[in-house]
Amino acid sequence: MSCHILAGIDFSAPSPQVARRLIGVTLLVNGVGGRIVEVEAYDREDPASHSFSGQTARNFAMFGPPGHAYVYLSHGIHWCLNLVCREEGHGAGVLIRALEPLAGLEQMAARRGLAEARLLCSGPGRLGQALGVTRELNAMALDAAPFELLPRKGRVQVAVGPRIGISKAVEVPWRFGLAGSPYLSRPFR
DNA sequence: CCAACGATGGGCT
DNA sequence: GCCCATCGTTGGA
């Protein structure tokens, strides 16, 4: 059986499909985390994707096997977490943009320097800081410590829209979110 | 070698 | 809404 299946999701599928199915899934790093409420898909033939220009020293994890992490530093400050999908060598992933904090609230608050739940994980950089994401997690498998992915229970209503903070392919509707969640980095139109 | 540029967030106007 | 910290990566000279 394929180790590409995690939390009931086939990570060898196209990134928009994986992204949509990740809404409602619980993500933990060393027991700290919560329910995924916002993600964005990126793919190889996608000008906004880090993988667009081919494999480099930074993005090699994106070309590795699905079901692994791709971590990068944004603006020299923020560590951001992606989950790799498609087949090995393809170069696709899903950026985790926001969580509803559920586990390890105290540790998140300490790392973030504030306690307001709404501000702990509402954005890729905030989430990275709250969960203690760093370069060390790059290329690590998601089916083993420190990661945990727990299937969602029940149904969710998924909102769709264009991705945030990019300058190319700005109209591609590959941002997905839990409709109406107060933990989104920004509301959907 | 080196300049330009971020898949951002926080603070201030 | 605007500004900018901060630094690794990239791509062109």
Side-chain angles (χ1 to χ4, degrees), chain A residues 53-120:
Chain A
S53 303
Q55 186 173 332
T56 65
R58 171 176 65 158
N59 68 16
F60 77 91
M62 244 185 132
F63 291 83
H68 286 234
Y70 164 49
V71 175
Y72 72 94
L73 183 64
S74 178
H75 289 259
I77 302 170
H78 308 285
W79 291 102
C80 299
L81 173 66
N82 296 253
L83 312 188
V84 176
C85 24
R86 290 278 202 157
E87 71 278 8
E88 182 162 3
H90 183 91
V94 175
L95 172 66
I96 309 299
R97 287 192 56 91
L99 301 182
E100 175 182 341
L102 292 176
L105 283 278
E106 208 165 279
Q107 195 164 11
M108 290 191 207
R111 287 167 172 160
R112 295 272 301 120
L114 52 88
E116 193 180 340
R118 159 85 244 289
L119 298 176
L120 290 178

Side-chain angles (χ1 to χ4, degrees), chain A residues 14-84:
Chain A
S15 52
Q17 190 176 121
V18 174
R20 177 181 280 275
R21 291 176 180 176
L22 277 168
I23 299 302
V25 167
T26 295
L27 166 68
L28 304 176
V29 178
N30 286 310
V32 176
R35 181 191 194 199
I36 297 172
V37 299
E38 183 184 339
V39 297
E40 284 177 358
Y42 289 88
D43 196 49
R44 180 63 203 276
E45 305 298 319
D46 168 14
S49 173
H50 288 175
S51 60
F52 183 65
S53 303
Q55 186 173 332
T56 65
R58 171 176 65 158
N59 68 16
F60 77 91
M62 244 185 132
F63 291 83
H68 286 234
Y70 164 49
V71 175
Y72 72 94
L73 183 64
S74 178
H75 289 259
I77 302 170
H78 308 285
W79 291 102
C80 299
L81 173 66
N82 296 253
L83 312 188
V84 176

Side-chain angles (χ1 to χ4, degrees), chain A residues 131-150:
Chain A
L131 270 57
V133 172
T134 67
R135 158 152 245 128
E136 296 165 20
L137 298 184
N138 190 39
M140 287 189 66
L142 300 172
D143 65 354
F147 291 106
E148 250 180 296
L149 282 174
L150 309 173

Side-chain angles (χ1 to χ4, degrees), chain A residues 1-5:
Chain A
M1 289 308 285
S2 185
C3 54
H4 309 143
I5 314 264

